[in-house]
Amino acid sequence: MSAKADVGLVREASRQIVAGGSAGLVEICLMHPLDVVKTRFQLQRSTADPNSYKSLGDSFRMIFRTEGLFGFYKGILPPILAETPKRAVKFFTFEQYKKLLGYVSLSPGLQPSTLTYAREIIKKDGLGLRGLNKGFTATLGRHGVFNMVYFGFYFNVKNIIPVNKDPTLEFLRNFGIGLLSGTIASVINIPFDVAKSRIQGPQPVPGEIKYRTCFKTMATVYQEEGIFALYKGLLPKIMRLGPGGAVMLLVYEYSYSWLQENW
């Protein structure tokens, strides 16, 4: 392969990585408050507690009243540090698989730092599945199922619906397909999300590990709380990953197009 071809491949990969990272960063910054609300819903086992969240609007009011505006951005640093490079790699990898498989085309000072939390977890429970990697299987299932549906649906449906010459209608076409992709993927993968939150969150009885593995946690939640408990937090998740998924795909495509023309 010639040096010119090598440079072309590196430039193309760089565009995909930069555009993917930008898309992930924008989506996280816009949609993180809904992720906070979703996780709070998933961690509560009953609405009988007077301090529990009764509805989506109630959760927003309670968080704002008790924790202020920055309460909606708690824990945003870990997703930024993890998701931005992950989504950069995800989009780059997807583009390579498309070719291979022949697809047509937070306020500082308010919380302990992420590093402090990581040190505490490692010191207490180590690096394994009971420590820093707790909930790994559930997280793997959540992301695997989501991405399989999300990308598969988006790029297949996008190829079926014809491109519109009107820029506004074309934008709406892409946004609509992205919104539907994120919504369907969210509905399918949320039981894994609930399992992840239960495994990583505080256990019902201090000192006793009730939620240990992904599928056992799903079974326990189903047996004790019913089928709908596996869909707790679905509304804020859809509100985040439906529009968020559309935003991420649009930012990626427009960033990638801009980089192709200017870099």
Side-chain angles (χ1 to χ4, degrees):
M1 187 177 289
S2 67
K4 187 176 181 180
D6 286 338
V7 171
L9 286 173
V10 170
R11 185 179 292 125
E12 185 70 5
S14 300
R15 289 171 184 152
Q16 292 164 358
I17 290 170
V18 171
S22 301
L25 181 61
V26 170
E27 190 272 337
I28 290 165
C29 292
L30 287 176
M31 311 308 288
H32 187 73
L34 286 164
D35 201 44
V36 171
V37 172
K38 177 213 70 176
T39 304
R40 299 285 179 92
F41 267 112
Q42 291 175 345
L43 288 175
Q44 68 181 22
R45 303 182 70 235
S46 170
T47 56
D49 187 334
N51 294 318
S52 66
Y53 306 116
K54 306 297 189 297
S55 66
L56 186 62
D58 181 55
S59 64
F60 273 100
R61 284 190 294 271
M62 283 184 67
I63 292 173
F64 182 73
R65 187 171 64 247
T66 58
E67 303 170 53
L69 183 62
F70 290 113
F72 294 109
Y73 291 90
K74 279 186 174 178
I76 195 173
L77 185 58
I80 285 177
L81 294 176
E83 296 293 325
T84 302
K86 187 192 82 178
R87 289 174 184 179
V89 172
K90 179 165 73 175
F91 275 100
F92 166 71
T93 304
F94 180 76
E95 292 289 356
Q96 303 315 305
Y97 274 116
K98 268 206 306 183
K99 293 176 183 176
L100 182 65
L101 298 175
Y103 279 105
V104 181
S105 326
L106 305 167
S107 178
L110 292 180
Q111 292 178 291
S113 70
T114 300
L115 187 59
T116 302
Y117 274 125
R119 283 174 179 162
E120 288 178 2
I121 293 169
I122 293 169
K123 185 177 179 181
K124 183 181 177 184
D125 299 307
L127 290 164
L129 295 177
R130 295 189 181 184
L132 201 62
N133 285 291
K134 184 185 284 187
F136 175 76
T137 306
T139 303
L140 194 64
R142 182 184 76 159
H143 287 298
V145 170
F146 182 88
N147 289 323
M148 178 177 66
V149 177
Y150 178 64
F151 282 110
F153 185 89
Y154 180 81
F155 283 97
N156 281 288
V157 171
K158 191 181 174 190
N159 288 329
I160 294 170
I161 300 174
V163 174
N164 201 298
K165 293 181 180 179
D166 185 316
T168 303
L169 293 177
E170 177 62 11
F171 174 85
L172 291 174
R173 180 186 81 104
N174 290 332
F175 185 86
I177 299 170
L179 177 66
L180 195 56
S181 302
T183 299
I184 292 172
S186 298
V187 172
I188 292 174
N189 91 322
I190 195 169
F192 291 94
D193 203 0
V194 171
K196 171 185 171 293
S197 294
R198 294 295 180 92
I199 292 168
Q200 293 180 339
Q203 301 293 311
V205 180
E208 180 184 314
I209 301 177
K210 181 175 184 177
Y211 305 117
R212 190 182 297 275
T213 63
C214 176
F215 291 103
K216 189 175 180 181
T217 297
M218 286 186 193
T220 301
V221 172
Y222 171 72
Q223 290 164 3
E224 295 184 353
E225 303 170 52
I227 186 68
F228 291 112
L230 290 171
Y231 291 86
K232 280 185 175 180
L234 180 60
L235 182 58
K237 182 180 177 73
I238 287 175
M239 289 176 66
R240 183 207 166 174
L241 291 176
V247 167
M248 187 164 66
L249 286 166
L250 287 172
V251 171
Y252 173 76
E253 294 204 354
Y254 284 103
S255 299
Y256 182 67
S257 296
W258 185 88
L259 289 168
Q260 279 186 312
E261 293 175 6
N262 296 280
W263 187 30

